Amino acid sequence: MTFSELKEWLKKMVQERMKGSVIWAEQYQTQPPPPLTTLKLKDTGLPVHPVNIVKDGKIYSYYECEKILEINRYTPGVTKTAGEIRGMENTAEEDLTSLLLYVQSDRGAEKMYLANISIRQMGPIRDLTALESTRYKNRAMLELSIRCTLEYQEGSIGVYAPEAGTPYEEGDTGYFEDVEMEGKNE
C-alpha cells in the first residue's frame, strides 16, 4: 500500500461513519457546506536506522512510521426531530465521538489488522466552536496517531502489510510452553 493508498484508506474509513463531505485539508478547494469533515495528515518523522533483512539476495529496509491524522468536523449545529428545531448545539463533538467509538470497536480493530495499521486516540475531542463574522461556526477536532511499518526496497516504498486480507487464525502462538534443561546452573 503506497502513501496515496493509505490516505484513500483513511478517507474511506471516515466517510463510512460521517454524513456529508469528507475532504483533505491540503487540497485547497472550495469548502462544501456543513456537515463537512476535513482530514490532514501530519508527519512526525522516521527513525534513522531501519531494520534491514536480506531476502533472495535483495535488501529490504523496514521503518517504523507514525503520522498524526487531524480530523475537523463542521456541522450546522442544529438538533432536529420530526421536522422541529429543538436547539442549537455543537453536534460535531457527537459525530467525532461516534467515529472514535467505531475506531476502538472490534470491527474497526479488524479493519486495521487487515491493513497492518494501528490507530490510537491522541488527547480529547476538542470543541472549537467560534463566532466568525456574524454567525457561529460549529466545529470539533480529534487527533489520531496512525502507526504502520514502511517497507523500502530498490527505490519503492509502501506500507508493509505481509498478509493483508488474511484473517487472524487461531492456533499455536509459537511460544515455548515447556523447557527441559540439562546440566547445572551455578
Side-chain angles (χ1 to χ4, degrees), residues 13-54:
M13 181 192 69
V14 172
Q15 281 176 324
E16 289 174 2
R17 307 306 301 170
M18 296 289 179
K19 293 179 183 171
S21 301
V22 176
I23 62 172
W24 285 99
E26 299 94 5
Q27 290 178 336
Y28 302 112
Q29 59 189 14
T30 308
Q31 275 197 357
L36 165 69
T37 305
T38 62
L39 307 174
K40 186 173 187 174
L41 205 55
K42 302 177 195 175
D43 227 343
T44 59
L46 295 173
V48 178
H49 301 289
V51 173
N52 293 313
I53 296 175
V54 178

Side-chain angles (χ1 to χ4, degrees), residues 71-143:
I71 305 172
N72 284 282
R73 178 72 173 164
Y74 302 89
T75 61
V78 177
T79 322
K80 296 179 185 176
T81 31
E84 177 182 310
I85 296 177
R86 295 198 135 233
M88 300 295 283
E89 62 181 78
N90 187 2
T91 52
E93 284 183 275
E94 185 177 328
D95 292 348
L96 287 180
T97 301
S98 175
L99 174 67
L100 185 59
L101 292 175
Y102 169 73
V103 166
Q104 295 173 345
S105 73
D106 290 342
R107 189 168 177 221
E110 181 180 357
K111 200 171 201 168
M112 289 181 280
Y113 170 78
L114 294 174
N116 204 27
I117 296 168
S118 170
I119 301 176
R120 288 182 313 135
Q121 180 181 1
M122 293 180 64
I125 295 172
R126 291 180 282 219
D127 182 356
L128 300 175
T129 299
L131 181 62
E132 290 186 7
S133 301
T134 57
R135 64 186 185 111
Y136 278 97
K137 190 169 194 176
N138 295 290
R139 173 182 167 205
M141 195 255 291
L142 168 66
E143 288 184 320

Side-chain angles (χ1 to χ4, degrees), residues 10 13 17 34 51 57 67 69 99-100 110 116 132 135 150 153-154 156 159 162 170 182-183:
L10 291 168
M13 181 192 69
R17 307 306 301 170
V51 173
K67 292 189 172 283
L69 178 64
L99 174 67
L100 185 59
E110 181 180 357
N116 204 27
E132 290 186 7
R135 64 186 185 111
L150 298 179
Q153 194 265 324
E154 295 182 355
S156 71
V159 175
E170 293 291 331
E182 294 178 12

Side-chain angles (χ1 to χ4, degrees), residues 4 13 63 75 123 146-147 163 165 179:
S4 297
M13 181 192 69
Y63 296 85
T75 61
I146 311 294
R147 289 176 168 249
E163 297 177 24
V179 175

Side-chain angles (χ1 to χ4, degrees), residues 61-65 116-117 147-151 158-161:
S61 300
Y62 297 93
Y63 296 85
E64 181 185 346
C65 177
N116 204 27
I117 296 168
R147 289 176 168 249
C148 59
T149 301
L150 298 179
E151 177 181 58
V159 175
Y160 177 64

